[in-house]
Amino acid sequence: MFDFAVFGSLFLTLFVIMDPPGITPIFLALTSGRPVKVQRRMAWQAVCVAFGVIAVFGICGQQILDYLHVSVPALMIAGGLLLLLIALDLLTGKTDEPQQTKDVNVALVPLGMPLLAGPGAIVSVILAVQKADGAVGQISVWAAIIAMHVVLWITMRYSLVIIRVIKDGGVVLVTRLAGMMLSAIAVQQIINGVLQVVRGA
């Protein structure tokens, strides 16, 4: 048996939060200037890192947060600040300088975490695992998580075709747009975290 309601609910939630279409320009901006094989490997690594983080928090996320005495709003604010630093680099063009980026694996940070496996996705998975009833519910939850990461990999894997079309000038434009989008996402995440702190006070 399979619970399609649980599967669909979590899949749609993760799709909105992880936003495969929205991650495309950010992925292109962060991986520009690298060989195609390296970019493909980074797409795979980013998805694996995101899945690993999501899986760990899905299995024992609440225990980890409780042990570290970290609240969900604090996690959201910290993730937002990290994303904001990356966004500022994209906006100012620092990621265009080879000496600063060639040795940095952006597939791990910020792509894998916190862009893909961010606070929103982590919290959603923790809640879904806790609410899932029995083996059928758990299977449906993990099937949704796996399906979402497959979609993310396909999106980033085939977004490389865009690079060949838009050339260097287009990559610079995409980089600036990605910086703006990412900064907005980061600020909104910080605001959401602060609001939750205020409501809980």
Side-chain angles (χ1 to χ4, degrees):
M1 296 293 293
F2 190 82
D3 194 332
F4 286 98
V6 172
F7 174 88
S9 175
L10 181 57
F11 182 84
L12 289 176
T13 300
L14 291 178
F15 190 92
V16 171
I17 294 173
M18 301 176 98
D19 190 17
I23 204 67
T24 299
I26 299 173
F27 173 77
L28 293 176
L30 291 173
T31 61
S32 63
R34 293 175 170 82
V36 174
K37 287 185 178 179
V38 174
Q39 291 172 322
R40 289 174 180 171
R41 187 172 70 246
M42 293 176 78
W44 174 250
Q45 288 175 338
V47 171
C48 288
V49 168
F51 179 78
V53 172
I54 291 291
V56 169
F57 277 93
I59 296 170
C60 51
Q62 194 60 56
Q63 291 86 343
I64 293 174
L65 295 180
D66 291 341
Y67 177 77
L68 296 175
H69 303 290
V70 174
S71 65
V72 172
L75 190 65
M76 295 178 69
I77 294 172
L81 290 173
L82 179 57
L83 289 182
L84 189 57
L85 291 175
I86 302 299
L88 291 176
D89 280 347
L90 291 175
L91 284 170
T92 56
K94 288 183 180 179
T95 55
D96 294 334
E97 300 175 19
Q99 66 271 23
Q100 292 190 11
T101 59
K102 291 300 183 183
D103 297 328
V104 176
N105 191 350
V106 296
L108 306 180
V109 177
L111 275 176
M113 184 178 181
L115 274 178
L116 297 181
I122 289 173
V123 172
S124 297
V125 168
I126 291 175
L127 294 177
V129 169
Q130 290 177 348
K131 293 179 181 178
D133 294 326
V136 173
Q138 292 293 336
I139 291 172
S140 303
V141 165
W142 288 100
I145 294 171
I146 293 171
M148 185 66 250
H149 284 80
V150 171
V151 170
L152 285 168
W153 177 76
I154 292 174
T155 302
M156 290 190 290
R157 168 68 174 76
Y158 290 99
S159 67
L160 299 177
V161 178
I162 300 174
I163 292 180
R164 302 191 193 103
V165 176
I166 64 178
K167 307 298 183 184
D168 291 341
V171 169
V172 173
L173 176 61
V174 167
T175 300
R176 299 300 181 268
L177 290 174
M180 273 183 26
M181 290 168 49
L182 194 55
S183 62
I185 292 171
V187 171
Q188 186 61 55
Q189 192 164 291
I190 294 171
I191 291 173
N192 292 342
V194 172
L195 287 176
Q196 287 194 26
V197 171
V198 172
R199 288 170 187 161

